[in-house]
């Protein structure tokens, strides 16, 4: 559309006054010029596109898109630019439009599996410069944009939107099907009033699942922009006074299409771990054994043993890094779950330390005992030989004599007595002599029996006497048997 000369040639002073206003924060212009930041949501085919909350991060400079490609991950889109090249758009201004398109492309991840781009050029006629499946390389795509030439006739915006809907956003032209959940986005750039009906065709495009952004330049008709754009209008309608500053809007679209990841950028301020939640959002977490403080960024070591949340059945032990481990009382072993304990049979395992006998007391405890003739020492584990003669439990009638070895002993009799067959009691020797008067010395058989009996008794007496003499000698000279 041809504009009056005064409108096309603003005085230099007026242009200088406008430029600072155009660079003000987005809150300064009116609601239609306000470039609110919005994230793309999942589009439901045939319905309204979903919207996520607006970003609060500041706008980036126009040339930061290419530099930030490594940290800026855009969501895959099927993106179609619908650009006005009517008579009112001068060649230099049309070059600005192409630069605007190229700078948005710079901020996106371009590829067959990422964002695909098509351009629809229109005036009185409509020309699809290239389809969504024509280029999958960013550099080739930008070169194709640079080669576009203006059509230089009228302004058929409705026809351009219809062509994009029916020919550019098709599976044959490279658009991905409804099951892919890839958003379909169109950005229409115009500087005048449409010469055809846009209300109905734009409504059809939006109903088909296309999200429409309308960018107006110079004397663009605001009502027409609002009829074309998706809702909410404050997020889909943009306005600039001249093509000379249209490039500034590329940063707005970068923030709209691109998620800036604070975890990758290193701006998260998390003390331990930064976790990306998608769409530029993140949250902080702490290493094991630590808890997130109230500021949601820093971490403090957790004393889980003191908190009583450790789950240990018997003993909780804090480790130096803020973590903990479980242990068991003596006589118990830690089960495979590392929290519960089982009673340990130390007598069976051989870890009891008893010198003689280990006795299980149940519940994993035990005590030590000694063999007969031994006594348990103060350490409750080792044993010492016990002197039964001294204890008075020997059972000897006359004399108890300790022997070598494991607390053994034997019984003896005083002089004039002989040890009986029970090895404990004693009899007087005079009993042997009484046998002489009892026997009949007249008979031969009686004589022989008497002699044998006397010999036997004398032998026993001699043996006992020898033993007694030896003991008396030991006692006399103070010799002590080992």
């Amino acid at each position: 559309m041809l504009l009056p000369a005064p409108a096309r040639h603003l005085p230099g002073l007026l242009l200088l006054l406008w430029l600072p206003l155009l660079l003000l924060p987005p809150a300064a212009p009116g609601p239609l010029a306000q470039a609110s930041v919005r994230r793309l949501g999942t589009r439901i085919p045939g319905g309204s596109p979903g919207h996520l909350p607006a970003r609060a991060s500041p706008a980036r400079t126009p040339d930061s898109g290419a530099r930030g490609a490594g940290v800026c991950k855009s969501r895959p889109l099927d993106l179609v630019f619908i650009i006005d090249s009517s008579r009112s758009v001068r060649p230099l201004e049309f070059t600005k439009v192409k630069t605007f398109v190229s700078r948005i492309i710079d901020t996106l991840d371009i590829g067959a599996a990422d964002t695909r781009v098509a351009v629809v050029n229109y005036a009185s006629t409509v020309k699809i410069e290239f389809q969504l499946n024509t280029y999958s390389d960013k550099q080739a795509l930008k070169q194709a944009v640079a080669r576009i030439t203006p059509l230089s006739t009228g302004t058929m915006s409705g026809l351009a939107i219809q062509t994009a809907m029916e020919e550019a956003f098709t599976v044959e032209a490279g658009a991905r099907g409804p099951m892919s959940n890839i958003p379909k986005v169109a950005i229409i750039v115009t500087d005048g009033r449409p010469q055809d009906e846009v209300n109905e065709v734009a409504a059809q495009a939006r109903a088909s699942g296309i999200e429409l952004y309308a960018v107006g330049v110079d004397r663009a008709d605001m009502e027409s922009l609002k009829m074309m754009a998706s809702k909410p209008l404050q997020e889909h309608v943009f306005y600039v006074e001249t093509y000379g500053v249209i490039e500034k809007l590329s940063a707005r679209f970068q923030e709209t299409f691109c998620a800036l990841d604070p975890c990758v950028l290193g701006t998260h301020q998390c003390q331990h771990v930064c976790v990306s939640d998608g769409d530029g959002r993140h949250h902080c977490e702490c290493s094991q054994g630590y808890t997130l403080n109230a500021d949601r960024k820093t971490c403090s070591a957790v004393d889980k043993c003191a908190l009583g949340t450790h789950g240990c059945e018997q003993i909780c032990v804090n480790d130096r890094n803020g973590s903990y481990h479980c242990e068991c009382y003596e006589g118990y072993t830690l089960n495979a779950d590392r929290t519960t304990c089982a009673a340990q049979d130390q007598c069976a395992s051989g870890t009891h330390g008893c010198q003689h006998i280990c006795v299980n007391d149940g519940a994993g405890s035990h005590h030590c005992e000694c063999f007969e003739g031994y006594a348990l020492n103060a350490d409750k584990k080792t044993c010492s030989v016990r002197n039964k003669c001294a204890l008075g439990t020997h059972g000897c009638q006359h004399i108890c004599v300790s022997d070598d070895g494991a607390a053994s002993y034997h019984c003896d009799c005083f002089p004039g007595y002989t040890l009986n067959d029970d090895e404990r009691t004693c009899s007087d020797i005079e009993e042997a002599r009484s046998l002489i008067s009892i026997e009949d010395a007249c008979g031969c058989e009686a004589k022989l029996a008497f002699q044998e009996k006397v010999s036997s008794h004398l032998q026993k007496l001699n043996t006992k006497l020898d033993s007694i003499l030896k003991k008396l000698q030991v006692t006399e000279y103070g010799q002590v048997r080992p």
Side-chain angles (χ1 to χ4, degrees):
M1 176 182 292
L2 185 62
L3 294 177
R8 295 197 308 269
H9 304 285
L10 289 173
L13 180 59
L14 184 58
L15 181 59
L16 289 175
L17 290 173
W18 269 108
L19 282 173
L21 293 175
L22 292 170
L23 296 177
L24 286 173
L32 288 178
Q34 187 175 2
S36 300
V37 180
R38 187 192 64 77
R39 287 188 182 282
L40 289 176
T42 302
R43 181 182 305 279
I44 303 173
S48 301
H51 298 286
L52 293 176
R55 282 180 54 111
S57 57
R60 302 180 67 186
T61 55
D63 58 349
S64 65
R67 292 198 307 268
V71 295
C72 177
K73 178 66 178 177
S74 65
R75 183 179 177 181
L77 307 171
D78 286 339
L79 177 60
V80 176
F81 290 93
I82 305 173
I83 55 177
D84 180 0
S85 63
S86 60
R87 288 186 301 267
S88 60
V89 184
R90 295 184 174 186
L92 182 58
E93 295 171 336
F94 191 68
T95 300
K96 295 287 186 181
V97 174
K98 293 192 290 183
T99 301
F100 165 68
V101 172
S102 292
R103 286 192 171 176
I104 292 179
I105 291 172
D106 266 334
T107 68
L108 303 174
D109 297 296
I110 302 299
D114 295 306
T115 294
R116 302 177 184 180
V117 176
V119 174
V120 175
N121 187 9
Y122 81 96
S124 293
T125 59
V126 179
K127 177 183 179 183
I128 298 180
E129 296 291 345
F130 50 85
Q131 299 281 18
L132 290 168
N133 57 5
T134 304
Y135 300 104
S136 58
D137 174 76
K138 183 178 292 189
Q139 193 60 34
L141 187 57
K142 291 170 63 178
Q143 290 173 356
V145 170
R147 292 193 295 267
I148 298 174
T149 57
L151 299 177
S152 302
T153 51
T155 309
M156 304 295 288
S157 301
L159 180 61
I161 295 174
Q162 184 173 359
T163 303
M165 177 178 60
E166 295 178 351
E167 298 183 27
F169 284 112
T170 62
V171 176
E172 294 76 17
R176 282 158 283 195
M179 299 303 294
S180 66
N181 266 344
I182 302 296
K184 293 177 172 55
V185 179
I187 302 175
I188 183 167
V189 183
T190 181
D191 71 340
R193 183 187 298 274
Q195 295 177 341
D196 58 355
E197 180 61 45
V198 296
N199 191 7
E200 185 177 344
V201 67
Q204 292 175 358
R206 293 192 300 268
S208 70
I210 299 172
E211 187 170 10
L212 276 166
Y213 288 84
V215 178
V217 185
D218 198 2
R219 298 188 63 179
D221 180 62
M222 286 299 176
E223 290 303 316
S224 299
L225 295 177
K226 290 190 286 184
M227 284 190 291
M228 290 185 288
S230 297
K231 294 180 180 180
L233 295 178
Q234 66 267 25
E235 296 184 15
H236 291 82
V237 177
F238 298 85
Y239 176 80
V240 291
E241 287 292 329
T242 67
Y243 281 104
V245 292
I246 191 173
E247 300 166 16
K248 303 295 182 182
L249 292 178
S250 61
R252 307 291 189 184
F253 281 99
Q254 177 185 2
E255 292 190 354
T256 300
F257 299 145
C258 181
L260 299 175
D261 191 343
C263 293
V264 179
L265 289 171
T267 59
H268 49 80
Q269 296 184 335
C270 296
Q271 184 181 4
H272 284 190
V273 183
C274 179
V275 180
S276 296
D277 297 326
D279 295 322
R281 298 189 304 273
H282 76 287
H283 69 276
C284 300
E285 292 182 356
C286 297
S287 302
Q288 184 178 5
Y290 291 80
T291 183
L292 197 64
N293 295 327
D295 60 6
R296 314 306 298 171
K297 293 180 180 180
T298 59
C299 302
S300 298
V302 177
D303 185 351
K304 290 195 175 180
C305 293
L307 292 174
T309 58
H310 48 78
C312 297
E313 183 181 17
Q314 293 185 358
I315 303 171
C316 177
V317 180
N318 281 306
D319 297 329
R320 295 181 62 183
N321 63 350
S323 61
Y324 69 96
H325 69 276
C326 299
E327 293 183 357
C328 299
Y329 301 134
E330 185 178 0
Y332 291 80
T333 55
L334 196 63
N335 293 326
D337 60 8
R338 315 305 298 170
T339 56
T340 59
C341 301
Q344 183 184 38
D345 185 353
Q346 290 187 329
C347 293
S349 63
T351 59
H352 47 79
C354 297
Q355 183 181 6
H356 284 188
I357 303 169
C358 176
V359 180
N360 278 309
D361 297 326
S365 63
H366 72 287
H367 71 275
C368 299
E369 294 182 357
C370 298
F371 299 135
E372 184 178 4
Y374 290 80
L376 195 65
N377 294 327
D379 61 6
K380 301 299 183 181
K381 292 185 177 182
T382 60
C383 301
S384 297
V385 174
R386 185 169 55 191
N387 188 341
K388 288 195 174 182
C389 291
L391 292 175
T393 59
H394 47 79
C396 296
Q397 183 180 5
H398 285 187
I399 303 171
C400 176
V401 181
S402 294
D403 297 329
D404 297 335
S408 64
Y409 67 96
H410 69 275
C411 298
D412 277 346
C413 297
F414 297 134
Y417 291 83
T418 181
L419 191 67
N420 295 325
D421 292 337
D422 61 7
E423 302 292 326
R424 290 179 181 272
T425 59
C426 299
S427 296
D428 192 337
I429 298 176
E430 292 297 326
E431 294 177 1
R433 295 175 182 172
S434 64
L435 294 174
I436 300 173
S437 59
I438 296 172
E439 294 292 339
D440 183 4
C442 297
C444 293
E445 292 180 0
K447 289 180 180 179
L448 290 175
F450 173 75
Q451 289 175 355
E452 287 176 0
K453 204 165 195 179
V454 170
S455 296
S456 174
H457 279 288
L458 287 175
Q459 263 186 341
K460 285 183 180 181
L461 287 173
N462 287 332
T463 302
K464 296 297 179 184
L465 288 174
D466 289 339
S467 176
I468 291 170
L469 287 174
K470 287 180 181 178
K471 290 174 186 177
L472 291 174
Q473 288 175 355
V474 169
T475 304
E476 182 181 356
Y477 291 101
Q479 294 179 2
V480 180
R481 296 187 182 186

